[in-house]
Amino acid sequence: MTDGPPPLSGIRVIDASTILAGPLTCQVLGDYGAEVIKVEHPRYGDGMRHHGAAKDGVPLWWKLVSRNKRTVGLDLGDPEGAEIFLELAAGADVVVENFRPGRMEAWGLGPATLHERNPRLVILRVTGFGQDGPYASRPGFGTLAEAMSGFAAITGEPDGPPTLPPFGLADSIAGLTGVGAVMMALYHRDVRGGAGQVIDMSILEPIITALGPQPLIYDQLGVVQQRSGNRSSNNAPRNTYRTKDGSWVAISTSATPIAERVMRLVGHPEVIDEPWFATGRDRAKHGDLLDGYVGGWIAERTRDEVMAEFTRAEAAIAPIYDVADLSADPHVRERQVLVEVPDEDFGRVRMQNVPFRLDATPGSIRWTGRRLGADTDEVLGGELGIAQERLAELRERGVVA
């Protein structure tokens, strides 16, 4: 039951970041009530405005990643633009930026200067490789993190090339990690009476964390994980399987009782008594045998039949969906995983809902990503008190938009 404002009501965030991790952090903070001010270059905007599909020249991804944000066009490289940014930061709780190390300092906007104006400020600095180390000055993108982390090396078929994801995986992991980092820093400040602080977050390190115990296994056993397609070295049967009507399903048997149910369902309960069946690790060594049994059974039935039988047997299965399937799924619809939101360009658009549910202080989507500089006058004029004459002069010079 809702009994109060959103949980981050009263928190002001300055989003000075671009593609994609920092903006995603700010998107989620905004979803849960933070007041997010998006600061973009007045001529070029955030590069996210030029990423992905567009309709009638209007970028669609921007509608998602910049929802719940007010947008201000401001050139941080101009001394007057930098001074205005300092004024914004003086009244903020959080600043998120992802420029190369040293860039903010060169503009006179480094952490020391920001904290001189606002000691309570939490500063999230997102880079490809971190603020120090031999690679700190390199351009950093999610693709590079996916390559270096070990993700690409273990993704794909055993006889195929290393495979990169067709979406911003490393950036998205970093963006969601950034939410937790910011909240920890705010907790330290607001609950424990601490000061503001600087968060140094690379795109590389969160995806390494997400990949699990690979470094530990290598350290202790000298084992380098190899590509295994859709199989897992931790359990079996675990794969994708084609049904009689040409659809695909995926199953997982991480828990041995689930594996037992699957093998009984497909008519091979005898393997359950094999000594190797007791652990997922040992079952994975017999993946060919188990996949043959499971895949053969599934190939003789339609997807609906397979789903019904697995559900009845309480065995873990999911259909392999494309986005059209996902949008039509009754569970997705009932839980409003995707929601329609009013939009200034298209009337209404459908996008992902807020990522988790709080029963007392839920998040919400209040508006979609806005046009460049849509809120400059309101924020800089109405809230910072910059006179309209000065704003007009700054616009003429290209300092604001």
Side-chain angles (χ1 to χ4, degrees), residues 7-22:
L8 297 183
S9 179
I11 296 294
R12 174 174 276 204
V13 178
I14 309 299
D15 179 6
S17 61
T18 59
I19 318 166
L20 160 68

Side-chain angles (χ1 to χ4, degrees), residues 241-245 293-302 306:
Y241 307 89
R242 193 169 189 176
T243 63
K244 182 180 179 180
D245 54 354
Y293 291 155
V294 175
W297 186 91
I298 289 175
E300 296 174 352
R301 292 161 176 82
T302 66
V306 171

Side-chain angles (χ1 to χ4, degrees), residues 156-158 228-232 238-241 248 251 291 320:
E157 294 300 324
S228 56
N230 291 315
R231 287 184 175 174
S232 169
R238 189 266 198 181
N239 212 325
T240 61
Y241 307 89
W248 291 85
I251 72 169
D291 273 349
I320 293 180

Side-chain angles (χ1 to χ4, degrees), residues 7 48 66-67 88 96 112 123 126 215 236 298 324 338 371 384 389:
M48 285 299 299
S66 284
R67 68 191 190 191
L88 283 173
V96 179
I123 305 170
V126 185
I298 289 175
L338 305 176
R371 297 166 186 166
L384 292 190
E389 294 80 4

Side-chain angles (χ1 to χ4, degrees), residues 19-31:
I19 318 166
L20 160 68
L24 178 56
T25 293
C26 297
Q27 174 198 320
V28 176
L29 296 174
D31 285 348

Side-chain angles (χ1 to χ4, degrees), residues 47-259:
M48 285 299 299
R49 290 185 180 272
H50 312 293
H51 261 52
K55 179 180 179 182
D56 300 329
V58 179
L60 297 177
W61 199 350
W62 180 260
K63 296 292 185 182
L64 172 66
V65 77
S66 284
R67 68 191 190 191
N68 295 329
K69 302 178 186 180
R70 294 189 291 167
T71 174
V72 170
L74 185 63
D75 184 355
L76 304 188
D78 182 281
E80 285 194 80
E83 179 57 36
I84 292 171
F85 187 84
L86 285 173
E87 292 182 46
L88 283 173
D93 297 281
V94 180
V95 164
V96 179
E97 60 93 1
N98 71 332
F99 297 100
R100 287 199 207 182
R103 176 62 64 189
M104 291 287 280
E105 286 83 350
W107 291 333
L109 297 173
T113 305
L114 291 170
H115 279 148
E116 185 178 344
R117 289 286 186 102
N118 181 358
R120 289 172 52 79
L121 190 64
V122 171
I123 305 170
L124 173 62
R125 312 193 80 178
V126 185
T127 55
F129 302 103
Q131 294 293 317
D132 52 26
Y135 304 153
S137 62
R138 290 184 180 182
F141 298 100
T143 297
L144 310 186
E146 290 146 10
M148 287 184 61
S149 64
F151 172 85
I154 65 170
T155 304
E157 294 300 324
D159 58 351
T163 302
L164 295 167
F167 67 101
L169 176 63
D171 273 288
S172 297
I173 293 173
L176 296 173
T177 301
V179 176
V182 167
M183 295 311 301
M184 290 180 192
L186 289 175
Y187 180 89
H188 169 74
R189 187 195 73 176
D190 295 342
V191 177
R192 294 182 169 174
Q197 61 182 296
V198 179
I199 303 165
D200 174 4
M201 186 180 75
S202 77
I203 298 173
L204 177 62
E205 289 160 58
I207 190 172
I208 292 176
T209 297
L211 284 167
Q214 284 190 67
L216 176 61
I217 293 169
Y218 176 71
D219 175 64
Q220 293 298 305
L221 300 176
V223 173
V224 176
Q225 185 174 341
Q226 303 299 307
R227 291 187 289 283
S228 56
N230 291 315
R231 287 184 175 174
S232 169
S233 60
N234 300 313
N235 67 85
R238 189 266 198 181
N239 212 325
T240 61
Y241 307 89
R242 193 169 189 176
T243 63
K244 182 180 179 180
D245 54 354
S247 297
W248 291 85
V249 295
I251 72 169
S252 175
T253 56
S254 295
T256 297
I258 297 292

